[in-house]
Amino acid sequence: MSKIGRNQPCPCGSGKKYKHCCLVREQAGRSSSPMAQMKISLLGEIEKIQRLAADKKERLRELGVFIFFSMENGDAWVLEVSDGDAVQVAEAGQAMEPPVDENPETIEINYSHTFAVQDRKLFLTDYADKTETELAGAPTQQISAAMRRIMQRYSPELLSQVHVRTDETADAP
């Protein structure tokens, strides 16, 4: 089967160029919503950072409002900049089940911690027992730079729309 050029007549016989006829329909059928693309990318990035953690490689990656990083000790974390949430996805080189629940409209992540960068250190506060710990060895300087880039890239209004509040989360800290 030969490839149809964008400027060739459409094989459906409409008389239009392929790019103005069936190509548009084919692309519409293949494309997915930005939310669906984010889901695929989010889980894909989690898997990538888990593999890097298993290899004990230190890396930091950004995707939208998310920062993914792995450390030489085999730990890996996902940080969500707009709300300061965090979740560990690998520990000592072992991948942990990502706490991600997807449906066609939303991505729900069950975060375990909040995070803050203070005095060039990364602090995590556990949602369950409110204990605060410093994450020693975290690439804090890179995290701070990534946070600044994300905050510059997105307006405060857009960042405030990242989270959809439900009755359960409206009163949550």
Side-chain angles (χ1 to χ4, degrees):
M1 181 174 204
S2 64
K3 185 175 177 181
I4 303 165
R6 293 174 43 83
N7 290 316
Q8 291 180 327
C10 190
C12 76
S14 67
K16 297 179 182 178
K17 289 183 179 182
Y18 178 60
K19 68 181 179 184
H20 295 297
C21 190
C22 289
L23 178 62
V24 174
R25 283 181 279 212
E26 287 176 20
Q27 289 175 336
R30 277 185 285 178
S31 69
S32 56
S33 70
M35 195 60 140
Q37 291 172 358
M38 179 63 80
K39 288 177 198 173
I40 293 166
S41 298
L42 182 64
L43 288 173
E45 287 300 317
I46 289 172
E47 289 173 8
K48 286 178 193 175
I49 210 69
Q50 287 173 328
R51 284 194 299 272
L52 290 164
D55 293 339
K56 311 268 187 195
K57 293 183 179 175
E58 188 173 302
R59 291 288 196 293
L60 184 136
R61 302 172 69 93
E62 296 173 42
L63 175 67
V65 296
F66 298 100
I67 298 172
F68 306 82
F69 70 93
S70 59
M71 301 176 5
E72 289 181 355
N73 67 359
D75 289 355
W77 288 81
V78 177
L79 308 178
E80 194 272 296
V81 174
S82 68
D83 246 14
D85 288 319
V87 66
Q88 189 172 12
V89 294
E91 183 174 19
Q94 296 295 315
M96 301 166 76
E97 184 67 32
V100 178
D101 182 26
E102 302 175 351
N103 68 54
E105 298 299 318
T106 61
I107 303 171
E108 206 172 302
I109 302 172
N110 189 15
Y111 292 107
S112 56
H113 295 78
T114 60
F115 77 94
V117 176
Q118 299 169 345
D119 300 322
R120 298 183 179 173
K121 297 175 184 173
L122 179 65
F123 293 95
L124 299 165
T125 303
D126 191 302
Y127 271 123
D129 62 13
K130 306 296 185 216
T131 57
E132 181 179 87
T133 56
E134 178 190 346
L135 187 59
T140 308
Q141 193 170 16
Q142 291 176 302
I143 291 169
S144 292
M147 289 172 61
R148 282 192 300 274
R149 283 190 297 273
I150 290 167
M151 298 305 267
Q152 289 173 349
R153 196 176 303 138
Y154 301 104
S155 69
E157 295 80 26
L158 186 59
L159 288 172
S160 71
Q161 295 173 9
V162 169
H163 295 275
V164 177
R165 300 287 182 208
T166 64
D167 290 341
E168 292 175 15
T169 61
D171 298 326

